[in-house]
Amino acid sequence: MNIIQAPTSVRTTLDALRAEGKSIGFVPTMGFLHEGHASLIRAARESCDVVVVSIFVNPLQFGQGEDLDRYPRDDRRDEALCEREGVDLVFRPPVEAMYGSGPRFVIDVGAIGDVMCGRSRPGHFNGVATVVAKLFNIIGPCRAFFGEKDAQQLVILRRLATAFDFPVDVVGLPTIREEDGLAMSSRNAYLSAEERRSALVISRAILAARDLVSSGERDTTRIVAAVMSTIEAEATADIDYVVCVDPETLLDLERIEKEALLAVAVKFPSARLIDNVKLQV
Ligand code: AMP
């Protein structure tokens, strides 16, 4: 497994492989890898000749007062996971290599970046879109793999690929959960034992919404209210948002006609967690 820091070296290494006709699959991450990341790597391994994982904690997507400085890192463990999953190349650029000196260009994703997580994280999705565009240009994948756990990110990155004609197939894959239902996340490492227990309320609440829909409920106001009251019962949980939106436009739905995305963000004293489920009629 090749571990490369310099964008130019990555490009020349992958140019040579492309010249041999090899397809490149790409999994962008911020490291501190878990089974969710591994599931994306496996999907890339299954459908592409060469698998590239990037590990980059992107300062551009963190706001003032967010967790950029304490974001969990473990290079050796990440390398071991990548090795084990058959990754060919790990791209781990230093911040200066991605954002050298000079004027900073940022992609503006527009209004879709202002809803849901964008409300409490202004500019976050502009930072995500910018780094992913740069990574697409450096790596030149034909397929890139993202988790549905970050549903808004996935919608925005599909739009990014279309808007900028990136010749890349954006693939979304299901959320991997702990056995007790908690969606895996690098940020789960922040949780105390008590918070970890409380955090279970999130998956419990959104999965219960599925049952509501199965039993005939279509009114999103009632579904959102039910999810909120379940989460609010947990004393340390502070709801950032609970929404029921169109999965493509992320606009609020009044009723579920066919399919909806129920998405939540909840703040605990040491971490803000997100999760979502698709609700189908
Ligand atoms: P991150 O390192 O948190 O930026 O995530 C990198 C990629 O892994 C993103 O596409 C995430 O959506 C995806 N991911 C994170 N957690 C999970 C999970 N529990 N299941 C599936 N994919 C995930």
Side-chain angles (χ1 to χ4, degrees):
M1 188 177 74
N2 227 340
I3 301 172
I4 303 184
Q5 297 203 331
T8 47
S9 314
V10 169
R11 190 169 296 129
T12 49
T13 303
L14 294 176
D15 275 349
L17 293 164
R18 266 188 295 272
E20 292 172 20
K22 300 251 191 327
S23 60
I24 314 284
F26 176 41
V27 180
T29 82
M30 298 208 299
F32 212 69
L33 304 179
H34 50 66
E35 269 301 303
H37 300 108
S39 73
L40 307 183
I41 295 171
R42 279 175 215 140
R45 187 68 286 163
E46 271 168 29
S47 68
C48 301
D49 299 321
V50 176
V51 176
V52 179
V53 171
S54 65
I55 298 179
F56 181 61
V57 181
N58 173 34
L60 218 54
Q61 70 189 67
F62 288 78
Q64 287 282 328
E66 290 189 356
D67 56 345
L68 174 61
D69 296 334
R70 64 183 186 115
Y71 196 82
R73 293 167 202 249
D74 190 336
D75 292 350
R76 298 289 88 79
R77 203 166 63 95
D78 288 350
E79 282 165 23
L81 184 145
C82 288
E83 186 92 58
R84 195 167 66 235
E85 297 297 339
V87 171
D88 299 292
L89 194 158
V90 173
F91 176 42
R92 209 167 45 203
V95 172
E96 316 78 71
M98 293 296 280
Y99 305 113
S101 52
R104 180 166 282 188
F105 291 89
V106 176
I107 291 174
D108 185 347
V109 303
I112 198 154
D114 297 333
V115 298
M116 295 166 60
C117 286
R119 276 192 214 280
S120 57
R121 306 190 72 190
H124 168 69
F125 291 105
N126 291 347
V128 171
T130 302
V131 80
V132 170
K134 287 171 69 67
L135 290 167
F136 280 176
N137 280 329
I138 293 165
I139 285 150
C142 57
R143 212 163 284 152
F145 299 83
F146 298 90
E148 289 173 355
K149 166 157 179 285
D150 298 272
Q152 185 173 14
Q153 169 173 287
L154 180 57
V155 167
I156 290 172
L157 294 179
R158 284 192 202 284
R159 290 186 177 203
L160 173 83
T162 306
F164 288 91
D165 306 290
F166 282 107
V168 55
D169 182 15
V170 171
V171 180
L173 292 166
T175 301
I176 305 296
R177 298 178 179 280
E178 303 283 358
E179 268 181 23
D180 58 11
L182 181 69
M184 289 194 182
S185 163
S186 307
R187 288 189 167 99
N188 291 348
Y190 296 143
L191 300 171
S192 66
E194 176 62 17
E195 287 173 317
R196 170 72 182 71
R197 193 196 54 73
S198 303
L200 280 181
V201 74
I202 300 175
S203 49
R204 196 156 28 93
I206 62 175
L207 294 174
R210 273 198 175 157
D211 299 336
L212 272 181
V213 175
S214 306
S215 57
E217 184 61 84
R218 299 289 179 267
D219 182 316
T220 61
T221 308
R222 284 202 288 265
I223 294 169
V224 166
V227 171
M228 288 183 85
S229 73
T230 304
I231 297 176
E232 276 161 1
E234 199 59 59
T236 52
D238 175 15
I239 295 175
D240 182 353
Y241 66 79
V242 177
V243 292
C244 199
V245 296
D246 179 287
E248 305 295 327
T249 63
L250 306 184
L251 296 174
D252 285 323
L253 288 176
E254 276 177 25
R255 286 185 65 76
I256 307 180
E257 304 293 353
K258 216 168 65 195
E259 192 179 51
L261 176 76
L262 174 71
V264 310
V266 180
K267 285 187 259 176
F268 290 91
S270 53
R272 176 181 174 279
L273 303 179
I274 58 170
D275 203 348
N276 66 80
V277 284
K278 284 257 173 79
L279 300 176
Q280 247 131 3
V281 171

